[in-house]
Amino acid sequence: MSTIEQNLQQVIGLISSTAHQCGRDPQEITLLAVSKTKPVTAIEAAIAAGQRAFGENYVQEGVEKIVYFQQQRITPPLSWHFIGPLQSNKSRLVAENFDWMHTLDRPQLARRLNDQRPQGLSPLNVLIQINISGEHSKSGLAPAQLGELVSQVVELPRLRLRGLMAIPAPEPDYQRQLAVFQQMAALFTDLQRQLPGIDTLSLGMTDDMPAAVVAGSTMVRIGTAIFGARNL
Ligand SMILES: *Cc1c(COP(=O)(O)O)cnc(C)c1O
């Protein structure tokens, strides 16, 4: 068994045991393997172990991998998630190649992605990124501005709003991780009450995944625990 396969089994085991401990069904939680900076051979090892959803942060690198794996015709098919900050001038590559976009945080970017999504593809699944820790350096929308962006995004036919995403400030303490994730879960539940089709809360990375699962995450984004430390 490859190291990546062993790592994946451990991560899946931790998601499962954490879910069971808090009375959740592990099937509600999708594991997104964050493959940024990793070569296609690492992704191939994850695919061989059954992994299908991958997250990339850099547009160019992500598109190269998507094109490479399209030629391999993997079944069941892979899904590709853009999870990095996106400059508006690179929106077309995301609209034309990815299945999901996790970091939508402004109306102008939403309009561009909508206009650039090819007709032959299904609508782009989008998550609105919330700046839940309130750090001025990080991207994401202030919670108070969520309603306005939601009302604009739901009018765009080539986007399909699926939920929310956040990257909280790094915090070693479990209880504090949980408190921040619970604020996100409350926003998510509110949104679910207002709109149909809201089913995805993208929360949790290698160092805070259990707290995210306890708070209600439906999609954890794990890089280091699967692929090892990043190649810089
Ligand atoms: C890199 C990255 C991850 C994965 O982080 P790890 O700590 O390696 O699990 C998850 N989400 C986003 C947005 C990232 O940029």
Side-chain angles (χ1 to χ4, degrees):
M1 203 192 289
S2 71
T3 309
I4 287 174
E5 182 169 5
Q6 284 174 2
N7 291 347
L8 266 170
Q9 287 192 358
Q10 271 182 18
V11 169
I12 291 165
L14 181 58
I15 294 169
S16 257
S17 59
T18 308
H20 285 305
Q21 277 163 25
C22 64
R24 294 189 63 197
D25 178 356
Q27 306 275 28
E28 295 170 7
I29 302 150
T30 300
L31 170 58
L32 187 63
V34 176
S35 44
K36 63 180 178 215
T37 80
K38 296 296 172 181
V40 292
T41 50
I43 298 173
E44 277 163 345
I47 293 170
Q51 180 64 28
R52 288 294 180 272
F54 292 91
E56 290 283 336
N57 286 59
Y58 309 104
V59 181
Q60 212 72 42
E61 178 191 344
V63 170
E64 277 170 28
K65 290 172 179 172
I66 292 169
V67 169
Y68 174 87
F69 283 105
Q70 263 161 2
Q71 290 156 1
Q72 316 283 310
R73 303 185 181 280
I74 313 282
T75 50
L78 306 182
S79 74
W80 292 95
H81 297 238
F82 187 78
I83 62 171
L86 183 60
Q87 292 170 343
S88 294
N89 64 3
K90 298 203 175 141
S91 61
R92 181 175 294 280
L93 282 169
V94 171
E96 290 182 347
N97 291 281
F98 282 83
D99 304 294
W100 287 70
M101 153 72 181
H102 288 222
T103 54
L104 184 60
D105 62 358
R106 52 196 194 275
Q108 183 223 18
L109 183 58
R111 281 193 299 273
R112 286 180 68 96
L113 289 166
N114 178 72
D115 295 347
Q116 293 166 342
R117 181 68 169 173
Q119 287 299 331
L121 298 181
S122 51
L124 181 65
N125 296 294
V126 296
L127 303 177
I128 293 177
Q129 183 181 2
I130 302 291
N131 182 353
I132 198 67
S133 309
E135 304 153 281
H136 54 80
S137 60
K138 284 263 175 71
S139 44
L141 193 70
Q145 296 172 319
L146 176 59
E148 195 180 337
L149 184 57
V150 167
S151 65
Q152 292 164 323
V153 172
V154 295
E155 297 299 324
L156 300 171
R158 305 298 299 143
L159 303 185
R160 182 167 166 213
L161 181 62
R162 300 290 294 267
L164 303 176
M165 176 270 204
I167 313 169
E171 165 58 63
D173 181 73
Y174 174 87
Q175 290 302 335
R176 290 196 200 137
Q177 292 173 354
L178 186 62
V180 174
F181 285 143
Q182 283 169 337
Q183 294 174 35
M184 282 297 299
L187 291 174
F188 178 65
T189 310
D190 276 354
L191 194 59
Q192 281 186 309
R193 286 202 196 97
Q194 292 163 35
L195 289 176
I198 302 295
D199 57 7
T200 305
L201 180 58
S202 166
L203 290 181
M205 308 180 16
T206 294
D207 290 334
D208 56 14
M209 186 266 276
V213 168
V214 170
S217 171
T218 72
M219 190 176 282
V220 294
R221 310 178 308 262
I222 307 295
T224 309
I226 297 171
F227 294 112
R230 240 128 17 225
N231 315 332
L232 294 173

